[in-house]
Amino acid sequence: MSHIHISDGVISAFWGLGGYLIVGLIIFLILRKVEKTDLKKKIPMTGVVAALMIVGMSVPLGPLPVHLSLAVLSAIIAGPALGFIAIFVVNFLLAFFGHGGMTIVGLNTIIIGAEAFVGSMLFRLLSKKLTPFKSASIATAIGVIVSMTMMIGLIGITTGGYEVFLHKFLDHHHEVEHSNEGVHQKHEDGHLQQQHGGEYNEEGHDVKDVKFLFLSGWTAIVIILLLGIFTESMGTGLIVKFFNKIRPDITGESNTAVTDK
């Protein structure tokens, strides 16, 4: 859910390169560690969770300008280390389809990776006293909040404002209104200029331009974010609950005394 959907050039190459370097270092350390583990079992599972994330990040949640990431679920299933590698691969592939520019892949991986790490660690702790469903739901909600805070903070630091953050909401609203047209046309208030290929000039976005149902402004943004967090946490909780019933070893809950009824 916490994914920066902006084109290359909006955030400076310095930040993009820094993101790649950090991700490269993390993956290097991970690969050195997993050399001693059972890769025959973990690599196929990593591919499965990567596929789940691609589906989750590609399918919009109806009228909501957000999507599932299933990052916490992936880290619960494959572990935070291999889950991080899957997140990088998924971000890299999705960048080819407009889910953020190629220079943003490293930063997106760090943001979503933090969500996966925090969520999976909290799940391990909470599952000792709570059911898998409650553990996964609470852990996912907290993980999403952490990554969302990182995303907004990073956008504020690298762009000097919140216009890029609003861009994702405005773009989605604009695409819904003009889904049958070949190009995106100028927004009624003049903030978005006509362009081909789904790219916009980053200029003059305002909170009042965000609309959701009968709400507008910050109220609409808060409601959208809360619904996104709720959907992500409930979805992850239900999937973990299902896995716990049929294959508790997948989520590492085979020895847990607390189970869902």
Side-chain angles (χ1 to χ4, degrees), residues 76 119-139 240 244 248 251-260:
I76 291 174
S120 62
M121 292 297 101
L122 285 175
F123 174 76
R124 303 302 178 194
L125 293 174
L126 295 173
S127 59
K128 296 177 181 179
K129 295 184 178 180
L130 300 176
T131 64
F133 171 76
K134 292 180 180 179
S135 301
S137 299
I138 296 173
V240 169
N244 186 66
T251 60
E253 297 303 300
S254 56
N255 297 321
T256 302
V258 181
T259 57
D260 288 303

Side-chain angles (χ1 to χ4, degrees), residues 77-156:
I77 293 176
L82 292 180
F84 185 87
I85 295 178
I87 289 170
F88 171 73
V89 173
V90 168
N91 276 294
F92 191 83
L93 292 176
L94 288 178
F96 286 102
F97 300 95
H99 287 244
M102 292 300 298
T103 58
I104 315 297
V105 171
L107 297 175
N108 272 330
T109 301
I110 293 173
I111 291 171
I112 303 177
E115 174 184 327
F117 178 79
V118 171
S120 62
M121 292 297 101
L122 285 175
F123 174 76
R124 303 302 178 194
L125 293 174
L126 295 173
S127 59
K128 296 177 181 179
K129 295 184 178 180
L130 300 176
T131 64
F133 171 76
K134 292 180 180 179
S135 301
S137 299
I138 296 173
T140 300
I142 296 175
V144 171
I145 292 173
V146 169
S147 64
M148 190 178 299
T149 302
M150 290 178 61
M151 177 184 70
I152 297 174
L154 179 63
I155 289 174

